[in-house]
């Protein structure tokens, strides 16, 4: 891999390789773009087969965070960190060593919990640094807010496609009834939608059937349901050569990350079939909006106000897609790039953007965040 060529090509500002010989820590912190504000990105622990795989993941995911924040119109930049280790290799020394590296960045990078890190692990990292927010597994976690963001996105999509605000009688297929999918079913049911659902766990489908009068279907049959809208809330790569031809839904709008198996090919396949696809990182930004608000001092009203940015962003994306005959995925990237360009034009250099935005975040990070207060012993 040509390092600088790759990093420059994807637009990264800074990539840190962290090594601690005592704990055998090997981690990569990728800061993609801070034009909009302090870089935020959760930390993932994964037994990558190669260092190139680890770097590629950090580079790709951090760029995704920049676009997600830009489309959600919230003033944070994009970052991601990966710790190269098997979950069985996790220990307090390793996590603390990582925490010291995060702390050295003095708040240019604020992190949180991602794959293979538990709330206890986050607590360990917090022994060395305050620059940590969010806990996936704290009571309820961000899922209800994420699901509410998805609901608002669905409402924007049906308003755009059918000039209709109302979900009454709308047929919706929901794939995955975990933290987000279950809440989404509740919100849709309360608004009169008719649900078709699947999950690998029969206890979850039974509960949703009982509570929200959903029709349960086999997981492999969810794509071909005769519905208005398909909502993937389980896995990545579910929109692919095999599944897209099966879709009868005219809208795809769900929380799952990385829904398109191949972003370019499958976003255009959906576009050609005239299926209105809500880009996953735009519609599922509720989780990021939630942790951003934890960082600046959580106020529920502000979170709900900012969730409207999701529908506003989607409507702009649909319009761009229509006017320029491009996929909604491409339109979302263009919207993000335009917002980054105008932020850069306002803030000028990297340095000035940090100086302006970070002190406020830092002060509030320590004083106001309920999650940080909860995490710091
Ligand atoms: P979760 O693990 O709680 O739920 C996922 C559910 O999908 C589980 O019930 C699982 O049994 C089911 N599932 C797995 N494979 C399936 C299959 N083939 N068919 C049907 N069901 C299947 O996860 P979650 O927190 O609800 O998140 C759902 C998705 O949304 C994930 O892709 C996640 O990355 C994304 N997301 C979540 C949040 C959040 O706030 N939790 C925020 C942004 C994005």
């Amino acid at each position: 891999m040509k390092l600088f060529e790759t990093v420059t090509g994807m637009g990264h500002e800074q990539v840190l390789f962290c090594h601690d010989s005592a704990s055998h820590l090997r981690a990569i912190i990728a800061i993609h773009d801070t034009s909009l504000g302090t870089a935020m990105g959760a930390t993932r622990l994964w037994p990558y087969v190669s260092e190139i795989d680890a770097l590629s993941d950090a580079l790709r995911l951090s760029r995704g965070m920049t676009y997600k924040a830009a489309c959600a119109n919230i003033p944070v930049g994009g970052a991601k960190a990966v710790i190269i280790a098997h979950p069985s290799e996790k220990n307090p020394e390793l996590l603390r060593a990582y925490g010291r590296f995060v702390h050295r960045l003095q708040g240019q990078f604020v992190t949180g919990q991602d794959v293979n890190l538990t709330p206890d692990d986050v607590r360990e990292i917090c022994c060395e640094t305050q620059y940590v927010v969010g806990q996936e597994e704290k009571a309820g976690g961000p899922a209800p807010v994420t699901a509410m963001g998805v609901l608002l996105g669905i409402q924007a999509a049906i308003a755009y496609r059918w000039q209709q605000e109302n979900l009454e009688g709308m047929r919706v297929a929901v794939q995955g009834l975990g933290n987000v999918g279950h809440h989404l079913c509740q919100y849709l049911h309360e608004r009169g939608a008719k649900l078709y659902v699947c999950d690998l766990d029969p206890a979850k489908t039974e509960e949703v059937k009982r509570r929200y009068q959903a029709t349960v279907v086999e997981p492999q049959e969810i794509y071909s349901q005769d519905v208005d809208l398909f909502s993937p809330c389980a896995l990545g790569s579910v929109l692919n050569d095999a599944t897209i031809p099966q879709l009868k839904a005219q809208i795809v709008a769900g929380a799952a990350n990385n829904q398109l198996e191949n972003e370019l090919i499958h976003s255009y396949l959906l576009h050609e079939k005239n299926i209105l696809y809500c880009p996953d990182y735009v519609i599922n930004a509720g989780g990021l909006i939630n942790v951003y608000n934890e960082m600046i001092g959580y106020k529920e009203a502000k979170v709900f106000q900012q969730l409207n940015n999701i529908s506003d962003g989607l409507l702009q994306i649909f319009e761009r897609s229509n006017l320029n005959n491009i996929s909604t995925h491409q339109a979302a990237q263009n919207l993000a790039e335009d917002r980054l360009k105008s932020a850069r034009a306002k803030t000028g250099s990297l340095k000035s953007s940090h100086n302006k935005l970070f002190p406020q975040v830092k002060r509030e990070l320590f004083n106001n965040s309920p999650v940080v207060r909860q995490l710091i012993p």
Side-chain angles (χ1 to χ4, degrees), residues 68 136 142-143 146 175-181 198-201 204 219 233-236 255-257 284 287:
K68 180 182 273 216
E136 282 289 326
T146 302
Q175 179 186 49
L177 305 173
N179 293 317
V180 179
C198 74
D199 197 287
L200 301 181
D201 181 347
K204 290 182 179 171
C233 294
L235 306 168
N257 280 313
N284 73 15

Side-chain angles (χ1 to χ4, degrees), residues 221-251:
E221 286 169 8
I222 196 78
Y223 305 103
S224 59
Q225 291 304 303
D226 190 9
V227 291
D228 303 298
L229 191 142
F230 171 50
S231 185
C233 294
L235 306 168
S237 298
V238 293
L239 300 172
N240 54 46
D241 288 344
T243 60
I244 294 173
Q246 297 181 47
L247 293 176
K248 295 197 180 87
Q250 290 193 44
I251 295 172

Side-chain angles (χ1 to χ4, degrees), residues 290-348:
N290 204 51
V291 288
Y292 165 67
N293 279 278
E294 284 176 10
M295 183 171 82
I296 61 164
Y298 201 87
K299 291 194 185 81
E300 202 175 69
K302 179 116 191 255
V303 173
F304 281 93
Q305 185 198 334
Q306 286 181 344
L307 280 180
N308 289 308
N309 295 359
I310 293 177
S311 18
D312 294 348
L314 282 171
L315 289 172
Q316 289 193 43
I317 289 163
F318 300 152
E319 202 51 39
R320 281 172 181 242
S321 160
N322 184 37
L323 285 176
N324 304 313
N325 193 20
I326 54 175
S327 72
T328 51
H329 170 76
Q330 182 64 58
Q333 289 197 335
N334 294 355
L335 174 69
E337 290 292 352
D338 287 352
R339 285 185 174 163
L340 291 166
K341 252 185 238 153
S342 78
R344 282 181 206 125
K346 277 188 205 139
T347 54

